[in-house]
Amino acid sequence: MQQFNNKILVTGGAGYIGSHTVVSLIEQGFEVVVLDNFSNSSAEALRRVERITGVTLDVVSADVRDRQALQNAFEHNKFDAVIHFAGLKAVGESAQQPLRYYLNNVDGALQLLQVMNDNGCKRIVFSSSATVYGDPSSVPITESFPLSATNPYGQSKLMVENILRDISSSDPNWQISILRYFNPVAAHQSGLIGEDSGGVPNNLLPYISQVGVGKLEFLSVYGNDYDTHDGTGVRDYIHVVDLASAHIKALKVLDDEHGCQSYNIGTGRGYSVLEIVKAFERASGQNIEYKIMPRRLGDIASCYADTDKSARTLGWQAEHDLDDMMRDHWHWQRKNPNGYN
Ligand code: NAD
Ligand code: WQD
C-alpha cells in the first residue's frame, strides 16, 4: 500500500500549474485534496491527472471564497499545508474588471487564511508572480528588489504578499513560502495535461503554438525597439514541471522553517521573442509567420530571475532547457489542439 506522509490542500488544483503540481505531489507520496471552482479549468484535467498517477483524486468543487465549503474541507481532513493557486491571472482583463480580480484574488486569499488560522493550519505556499517587481531597474532580479504593480492583477498579488508578511509578523507560528513564478510554459511529458488557454491566448507560447497548429495565421511580435540584444522582449521561461517541483521543495523546507520567505522561480536565463520563435520552429518543424507590431501597453524590456536564493535555500533549480520546453509545449498542443475539449 502507498504510504502518505502529508496531506495537502491544493486550491486551483485543476488549473495549468496546479494540475502539474498535483501530479508531482502524488509522485512524491503526498495525499492531495483539490479545491477548485472550475472557473478557468476543466474536470477533464483532473481525470487526466488520475490517468497519469493512477490515483483517484479527492476533489471539492467550490469557490475558495465559500468559507463554509473550506471549513467543511478542514473538518474532514487534517491538512499539513495548503498550496494556494486559485486565482484569476489575465493582466489585460484585470484592468477591465478590477473588482472581479480583487474579490477573487484578495478576498479568496483572506477567506482561506482565516479558515486555516481557525483550524490551526499555518503552513502555506502562495503562487505569486514576477509581475510584483513592476519594471525592474536592472536584471537579473533578486528577491530584495523593490516591489510594485502596474495593473490590478499585479496589485492583487502584491496585496496578498503583504497580507502574508503581516500575518507572519503577528504570529511566528506561520510558515509561509511565496513563490514568484517567471514565465511558465510547456506541459507534462505525457502530453495529457497542459495549458488550455481557451479562445485566443494572450501569452507568447500558447499563441505561437496555435500558429503552429494552423489555428492562428501569424504571431504579432509586440515591439522590436526594446533595449535588448535583438530589440524584442526578453523573459525567463520556466518549464511547468520544474515549477511543480519547486512547490515540493518549498513544502519540505517549510517543515522546519518559520516566517515568510519569497523565492524567484525561473531558470535565470532570458530569451527574446525572436529566440523563442526560432526555438519553437526547431522543436516543431513548423514555420511560424510573424509580423512586427507596436509595443503592447505595460510590457517591459527584460525580466529574468536571479535564482541564487531558491538554489541555496530550497535546493531547487530548473532542469529543463529551452529545447525541452519547446518540445513539451508542442507535444501537448499537437495532441490537444482544442485543449481539453
Ligand atoms: P489557471 O487559471 O490555469 O489555474 C487557476 C485555477 O484556479 C483554475 O483551475 C481556476 O478554475 C481556479 N480558480 C480561480 N478562482 C477560483 C476561486 N475563487 N475558487 C476556486 N478556484 C478558483 O492558472 P495557472 O496558470 O495555473 O496559475 C495558477 C496561479 O499561479 C494563479 O494564482 C496565477 O496568478 C499564478 N501565476 C501564474 C502565472 C502564469 O503565467 N500562468 C505566472 C505567475 C503566477
Ligand atoms: C512574453 C513576451 C511580449 C504575446 C505575463 C504576465 C505575468 C505572468 C506571466 C501571471 C513579451 C511578447 C507576447 C504575443 C508577443 N503571469 N509577446 N506577442 O507579459 O512576460 O507576462 O504572463 O502572473 O504577470 O504579465 O508574458 O507571454 O504575454 O509575453 O510579442 O502575442 O512575448 O511582448 O515580451 P509576460 P507573455
Side-chain angles (χ1 to χ4, degrees):
M1 209 177 78
Q2 191 168 1
Q3 284 296 308
F4 294 120
N5 39 26
N6 294 119
K7 201 175 213 181
I8 312 295
L9 175 64
V10 182
T11 75
Y16 172 44
I17 305 168
S19 56
H20 288 81
T21 304
V22 170
V23 169
S24 296
L25 284 165
I26 292 170
E27 285 171 353
Q28 292 296 314
F30 288 90
E31 194 175 1
V32 174
V33 174
V34 169
L35 183 142
D36 204 299
N37 67 357
F38 299 98
S39 57
N40 194 39
S41 53
S42 152
E44 176 62 16
L46 295 179
R47 284 192 286 275
R48 300 213 187 159
V49 168
E50 292 180 334
R51 256 172 81 187
I52 294 168
T53 59
V55 167
T56 303
L57 287 172
D58 191 346
V59 181
V60 179
S61 179
D63 196 294
V64 76
R65 288 166 292 175
D66 180 344
R67 202 177 302 184
Q68 192 54 53
L70 276 178
Q71 181 55 35
N72 290 345
F74 276 85
E75 274 166 20
H76 287 103
N77 301 281
K78 181 154 175 26
F79 293 120
D80 184 66
V82 175
I83 306 182
H84 182 43
F85 292 105
L88 300 173
K89 62 167 179 176
V91 171
E93 189 182 66
S94 79
Q96 269 121 41
Q97 305 173 19
L99 273 178
R100 181 167 163 245
Y101 269 70
Y102 289 124
L103 279 169
N104 200 83
N105 295 2
V106 182
D107 191 33
L110 285 170
Q111 301 297 343
L112 172 67
L113 290 165
Q114 183 65 58
V115 174
M116 289 178 69
N117 194 63
D118 293 348
N119 289 274
C121 173
K122 298 186 176 181
R123 207 177 277 185
I124 185 168
V125 178
F126 172 62
S127 299
S128 188
S129 164
T131 196
V132 299
Y133 296 116
D135 190 351
S137 56
S138 61
V139 276
I141 301 167
T142 69
E143 287 82 353
S144 58
F145 269 38
L147 305 179
S148 69
T150 52
N151 55 70
Y153 167 73
Q155 287 287 3
S156 75
K157 289 289 167 193
L158 201 45
M159 284 178 181
V160 176
E161 284 205 8
N162 287 331
I163 291 165
L164 290 169
R165 283 186 277 271
D166 286 345
I167 61 173
S168 166
S169 340
S170 74
D171 176 355
N173 289 318
W174 278 91
Q175 297 166 292
I176 301 171
S177 274
I178 294 172
L179 302 188
R180 295 181 181 144
Y181 314 150
F182 279 66
N183 288 57
V185 295
H188 190 261
Q189 274 191 1
S190 61
L192 285 170
I193 55 173
E195 183 168 21
D196 181 354
S197 311
V200 178
N202 300 308
N203 295 117
L204 182 63
L205 245 292
Y207 203 103
I208 291 182
S209 54
Q210 291 210 9
V211 176
V213 288
K215 287 181 73 179
L216 296 168
E217 212 184 318
F218 64 90
L219 169 74
S220 299
V221 174
Y222 297 136
N224 67 349
D225 57 352
Y226 284 105
D227 184 17
T228 60
H229 63 275
D230 64 13
T232 65
V234 166
R235 297 291 183 274
D236 186 339
Y237 297 92
I238 167 94
H239 197 299
V240 66
V241 170
D242 284 331
L243 201 54
S245 72
H247 293 78
I248 312 292
K249 297 282 189 185
L251 282 177
K252 291 188 173 160
V253 165
L254 282 187
D255 271 346
D256 29 51
E257 218 182 66
H258 287 254
C260 178
Q261 288 292 329
S262 314
Y263 302 98
N264 284 342
I265 306 298
T267 63
R269 274 214 60 170
Y271 290 101
S272 73
V273 175
L274 294 182
E275 283 171 328
I276 294 294
V277 169
K278 290 286 160 260
F280 188 85
E281 287 182 334
R282 266 198 317 273
S284 65
Q286 306 294 304
N287 180 41
I288 302 298
E289 293 291 333
Y290 67 83
K291 293 185 186 168
I292 306 294
M293 297 295 200
R295 292 180 178 193
R296 184 174 63 179
L297 197 69
D299 272 356
I300 57 176
S302 272
C303 176
Y304 56 91
D306 181 315
T307 56
D308 195 49
K309 183 177 177 188
S310 41
R312 262 186 304 108
T313 316
L314 298 180
W316 171 88
Q317 62 181 29
E319 285 173 2
H320 295 83
D321 67 15
L322 183 64
D323 289 334
D324 299 333
M325 292 189 235
M326 298 301 125
R327 179 199 61 213
D328 294 341
H329 202 99
W330 175 237
H331 184 214
W332 152 257
Q333 178 71 62
R334 217 183 40 213
K335 270 184 93 163
N336 307 271
N338 300 314
Y340 289 113
N341 287 325

